[in-house]
Amino acid sequence: MKRYAYWLEKDTAEQDKDEKTFYLTVTPDKAVEASQMIRCFAKENGYPSDIAYIVGLCMEEMVAYIEASQDGAEIDTQIIVRFSHNAAHFIIIDNGRCITLDDDPKSQALITNNYALIKRLAKSVQYRYILNLNYTMFEF
């Protein structure tokens, strides 16, 4: 817990004053509502609506992929969105199976479809499998 508090404090101190961070826990059935919340948050804080729309779409697609790929298993999904005036970072952390090690053809098709769409919209995509968690960061 101390380590989490340390990194949270460090991230907050390093954060640009023009940046705002939005944290969400999203279940698949609430993905559309969460997408609307992201767009409202961006609008209220004066961030570009086109970037907010892309971030919301990314969140919906990633949560849909996670739900479809886990065959009904209960998955915890944490979303972090960091907006600045000309960009956004979208981070999704989930406890599903490792995406890159999943050999199931059905899951591979889902990965290709969802990631292909999001990768076209994103400036960069980073993926890590850390402590049995999928950590994916998109920059828009």
Side-chain angles (χ1 to χ4, degrees):
M1 189 69 168
K2 288 182 183 181
R3 185 173 176 87
Y4 172 77
Y6 167 79
W7 285 109
L8 181 62
E9 185 176 322
K10 184 174 178 170
D11 282 350
T12 304
E14 290 177 354
Q15 192 171 352
D16 186 357
K17 299 211 184 307
D18 291 333
E19 290 182 348
K20 294 220 188 260
T21 305
F22 191 61
Y23 299 91
L24 292 162
T25 299
V26 181
T27 57
D29 60 326
K30 301 292 183 186
V32 174
E33 290 176 32
S35 178
Q36 292 170 347
M37 289 173 59
I38 289 170
R39 290 193 304 269
C40 287
F41 176 82
K43 183 177 181 179
E44 289 171 1
N45 289 285
Y47 297 115
S49 60
D50 57 337
I51 293 175
Y53 180 79
I54 292 170
V55 169
L57 176 65
C58 178
M59 191 272 313
E60 288 180 40
E61 288 296 320
M62 293 306 298
V63 170
Y65 159 72
I66 292 166
E67 177 187 33
S69 69
Q70 301 303 318
D71 298 325
E74 188 171 322
I75 302 297
D76 296 317
T77 306
Q78 304 297 317
I79 308 288
I80 303 166
V81 181
R82 184 173 291 154
F83 284 103
S84 63
H85 286 288
N86 58 356
H89 287 87
F90 172 84
I91 300 166
I92 184 166
I93 303 168
D94 68 83
N95 62 347
R97 292 185 307 234
C98 179
I99 293 170
T100 58
L101 300 177
D102 192 358
D103 294 329
D104 177 36
K106 178 183 170 189
S107 294
Q108 287 296 323
L110 288 170
I111 292 168
T112 303
N113 292 341
N114 286 60
Y115 277 163
L117 170 66
I118 301 306
K119 280 179 120 175
R120 287 184 181 178
L121 299 174
K123 291 180 185 174
S124 71
V125 178
Q126 296 176 10
Y127 171 81
R128 295 185 185 106
Y129 191 66
I130 305 170
L131 300 172
N132 295 329
L133 296 171
N134 292 303
Y135 176 93
T136 311
M137 183 172 81
F138 300 90
E139 181 182 350
F140 299 101

